Amino acid sequence: MLVVKVGGGRGIGYDMVCVDLAALHAMGRPCLLVHGGSHETNMLATALGHPPRFVTSASGYESRYTDRATLEIFQMAYCGKVNKGIVERLQSLGVPAVGLAGLDGRLLSGPRKATLTIVEQGKKKVLRDDHTGKITSVNTELIRILYDAGYMLAVCPPAISDDHIAVNVDGDRAAARIAEALGVDELIILSNVPGLLRNPVDESTLVDKIATENLDDYFDYAKGRMKKKLMAVKEALAGGVKRVILGDARVAQPIQRALAGRGTVIGAATDH
Ligand code: ADP
């Protein structure tokens, strides 16, 4: 099985990803899709009068502060609109797709982190009532049951916490955990950029290959959310995934292109 993550940033459409998933399915190369929905969530949250609040953690990572109202809007966007939209597209392409959130069947679970230490205008501040978590367990049995029965799974956050609360989790890290738990060799992460760029605003500055042992040297190029993506890549490689490809979701055959090495390929130096 191949694990594919597609982001939810501005500019990402799911048609080409779904057409490619259907083509791979027809070729006998089954995939599991993990998807985001951040742009849809931001638009819905703003329309509902509860605009998103992005914060920078004390360790320098950007994240969405997820109070209960935000979590509920997040679920409307991720599980309601984006996940079901992807399932609908896949069904229309003849793929028997099933869409599940991480909380369904405790597919993705782990501890909740209810307090968040942030840095705002140079000062540390503690935010409470955050609905964010970390995945420590993947229900691979449920994945296998669906896979063995021929279904293609489309998974999205939220996950379920150990104390049974829905929690926002990072989609890239969710994909990394699933890839690791399933013991797959390759993880493809598609987003609204061609891969890791030396200059984030210049798409011609793509880094095409990174040897696993040199990955830390590239964190300086990554700004904002790309930092988290590289962290997820690092975790996946440490967890046994052999090759991670950061590819472009906005092109035709995005998955097959990434498999052919278009994008940023991160893996053992001997693999490329
Ligand atoms: P997704 O929602 O698809 O998971 P993210 O929004 O989390 O994707 O991450 C992709 C974003 O990271 C890009 O849209 C880009 O703005 C930003 N970014 C920051 N630094 C870089 C970089 N060095 N190379 C590529 N993208 C970068």
Side-chain angles (χ1 to χ4, degrees), residues 101-235:
L103 57 73
D104 290 302
R106 303 192 75 82
L107 190 61
L108 305 172
S109 60
R112 174 183 175 190
K113 213 169 154 275
T115 55
L116 183 63
T117 308
I118 64 161
V119 179
E120 219 169 44
Q121 287 157 351
K123 283 199 189 124
K124 274 197 182 173
K125 207 168 154 182
V126 176
L127 297 182
R128 299 188 194 280
D129 196 37
D130 194 29
H131 290 68
T132 298
K134 191 178 159 191
I135 299 165
T136 51
S137 177
V138 177
N139 184 349
T140 50
E141 194 194 338
L142 177 56
I143 296 175
R144 297 223 182 270
I145 289 169
L146 291 167
Y147 170 77
D148 289 345
Y151 291 103
M152 184 188 289
L153 192 51
V155 181
C156 65
I160 184 97
S161 72
D162 294 333
D163 50 355
H164 321 298
I165 309 261
V167 283
N168 184 3
V169 289
D170 179 64
D172 296 314
R173 289 177 118 163
R177 283 273 111 86
I178 292 173
E180 254 181 81
L182 293 174
V184 303
D185 287 341
E186 280 181 316
L187 167 64
I188 309 239
I189 300 181
L190 304 173
S191 71
N192 61 357
V193 280
L196 179 70
L197 306 172
R198 284 196 164 78
N199 174 358
V201 294
D202 181 354
E203 296 200 355
S204 70
T205 62
L206 178 72
V207 176
D208 60 351
K209 282 172 197 166
I210 304 176
T212 304
E213 60 272 25
N214 298 333
L215 182 56
D216 283 344
D217 301 342
Y218 289 82
F219 271 71
D220 280 350
Y221 295 123
K223 310 284 174 245
R225 290 147 51 86
M226 184 50 79
K227 264 197 210 170
K228 272 202 175 170
K229 221 175 260 303
L230 290 191
M231 188 54 84
V233 171
K234 195 172 163 175
E235 288 175 1

